[in-house]
Amino acid sequence: MGEAEVIPLRGAGGRPRPRPTPRRRSVAGPPPGADRDGAATSGADGGTVDDQRAIGSGATDPAPAPLVPAGPSELESAVVEVADFLRRRLAGRYPVDEFGFDPDLNENVILPVLRPLYERWFRVETIGVENVPAEGGALLVANHSGTLPLDALMTVVATHDDLPTPRNLRMLAADLVFGMPGFGAVARKAGHTLACNPDAEKLLGAGELVGVWPEGFKGIGKAYADRYKLQRFGRGGFVSAALRTGVPIIPCSIVGAEEIYPKIGDLGPIARLLGVPYFPITPTWPLLGPLGLVPLPSKWYIEFGEPIRTDEFEPGSADDPMLVFNLTDQVRENIQQTLYRLLSGRRNAFLG
């Protein structure tokens, strides 16, 4: 098996995977009985003049025009795509960047696995897609919830599939993700990296769209009674990274993730034994065993807010703790108020 080609980090967004559309069969030529202008001319007995002439002269009906050959079916196109993908993988003809991001694998394996959840199970609707820049560095900051981080994965699909210009969201994830067997390698292949300022600044400086969930485990593991109440946004490290690179901050508000695994309890001793932040108890887990891992089909909304510019501040402003604190609080308050607004317009957690 060939080795993957390593390419330098660049800021171009991903391309949408082409979806084949079957061609319809069509008949060439004007409809029977049409004159030179395309209109049919009727005779006295209700038939067209051309028909009467043909009958009177004993002429036979003209031969039908040949059908346009139909294009390949969806199944055939899918087989060809899979074959091409496997050929590239075996030959090592696929690029990866210095963080391990594999766009080919992300486009053809990871995103297709997530799309059924996004489109059919959670029925995600996106709002404010025009607020995400089509190119250049930007930092997307979102609320975190749901016991398992499916909200982050659904945001990855949203930024790729629903934006006018598809972009690959490069998430900043906790150390625990990259320490889990199997998960760390897949996360790297999907384009994600450690939640640290050096990596964030390098990605932003290269023109990438970077995502951060500053509530961390405090947000994702909070009790169901505290749903949609934002936790503390850390020390504002994401704001300082945006200030140093001069990129806009995009507040992102996610409604629906709180209901997928309603956390009603926590088994602390088991969590400490496994080395995880919490071991949740939900209405279906661990009571129903593996079946309890199926998320409830809540209706989701993802809203991208208006960008908060950081290029207007003076150089060195990232070292001003008061400015960093104020911007962090502004982003947090923006997301919290948007959550309240979205919730006020929602009739039901599962019907929207």
Side-chain angles (χ1 to χ4, degrees):
M1 182 181 295
E3 294 294 330
E5 175 191 0
V6 179
I7 61 174
L9 189 65
R10 56 190 176 85
R15 293 182 177 178
R17 185 169 60 90
R19 299 180 181 177
T21 53
R23 296 179 181 175
R24 296 184 178 179
R25 295 179 180 267
S26 59
V27 179
D35 60 12
R36 293 180 181 180
D37 296 328
T41 306
S42 299
D45 60 352
T48 63
V49 173
D50 290 341
D51 290 341
Q52 294 174 9
R53 290 175 180 172
I55 294 172
S57 62
T60 59
D61 293 338
L67 297 178
V68 177
S73 66
E74 291 188 16
L75 178 60
E76 291 172 338
S77 299
V79 170
V80 171
E81 287 184 11
V82 171
D84 289 342
F85 171 74
L86 293 176
R87 191 179 301 113
R88 290 194 302 273
R89 306 308 292 187
L90 292 173
R93 296 197 308 269
Y94 55 92
V96 295
D97 70 13
E98 56 201 275
F99 285 90
F101 178 39
D102 186 340
D104 189 47
L105 185 71
N106 188 59
E107 191 80 31
N108 293 283
V109 177
I110 298 176
L111 286 173
V113 167
L114 297 175
R115 280 192 183 107
L117 272 178
Y118 183 88
E119 296 174 353
R120 299 184 180 88
W121 195 252
F122 298 135
R123 297 148 290 145
V124 181
E125 290 186 24
T126 52
I127 306 167
V129 293
E130 68 280 359
N131 290 322
V132 181
E135 59 183 11
L139 182 64
L140 190 150
V141 183
N143 59 302
H144 215 8
S145 61
T147 305
L148 292 180
L150 294 183
D151 54 356
L153 298 177
M154 294 302 100
T155 308
V156 168
V157 182
T159 55
H160 185 277
D161 289 4
D162 288 353
L163 298 186
T165 301
R167 301 199 64 177
N168 292 309
L169 181 64
R170 312 294 293 271
M171 291 193 295
L172 303 178
D175 298 1
L176 178 64
V177 174
F178 298 97
M180 299 173 67
F183 284 92
V186 173
R188 288 287 185 186
K189 291 285 187 181
H192 315 313
T193 188
L194 292 170
C196 62
N197 272 34
D199 283 4
E201 291 173 20
K202 191 166 188 178
L203 286 167
L204 292 170
E208 296 287 344
L209 178 64
V210 178
V212 62
W213 283 257
E215 290 177 279
F217 291 117
K218 300 187 300 297
I220 197 176
K222 63 178 177 289
Y224 185 66
D226 296 325
R227 60 191 180 280
Y228 299 113
K229 298 176 183 177
L230 295 187
Q231 307 299 299
R232 194 171 68 90
F233 268 23
R235 300 178 180 177
F238 68 91
V239 168
S240 62
L243 286 168
R244 286 193 175 92
T245 52
V247 302
I249 298 174
I250 314 294
C252 178
S253 307
I254 305 171
V255 164
E258 295 277 17
E259 290 83 13
I260 60 174
Y261 298 112
K263 184 185 171 190
I264 57 178
D266 187 3
L267 297 178
I270 297 181
R272 289 189 290 272
L273 180 64
L274 297 176
V276 294
Y278 51 86
F279 189 89
I281 299 175
T282 74
T284 59
W285 169 265
L287 180 63
L288 300 183
L291 189 60
L293 295 176
V294 178
L296 298 179
S298 56
K299 167 71 176 177
W300 286 37
Y301 299 92
I302 299 179
E303 178 165 340
F304 303 104
E306 293 186 7
I308 299 173
R309 297 184 59 178
T310 64
D311 57 352
E312 299 175 339
F313 296 98
E314 298 179 358
S317 57
D319 299 321
D320 182 348
M322 186 57 65
L323 175 61
V324 170
F325 173 81
N326 288 335
L327 276 178
T328 302
D329 191 59
Q330 179 184 350
V331 175
R332 183 182 180 278
E333 186 64 21
N334 183 302
I335 296 173
Q336 183 68 81
Q337 293 304 317
T338 303
L339 290 176
Y340 288 150
R341 176 170 50 79
L342 290 173
L343 289 169
S344 67
R346 187 177 69 161
R347 298 171 301 167
N348 183 282
F350 299 98
L351 300 178

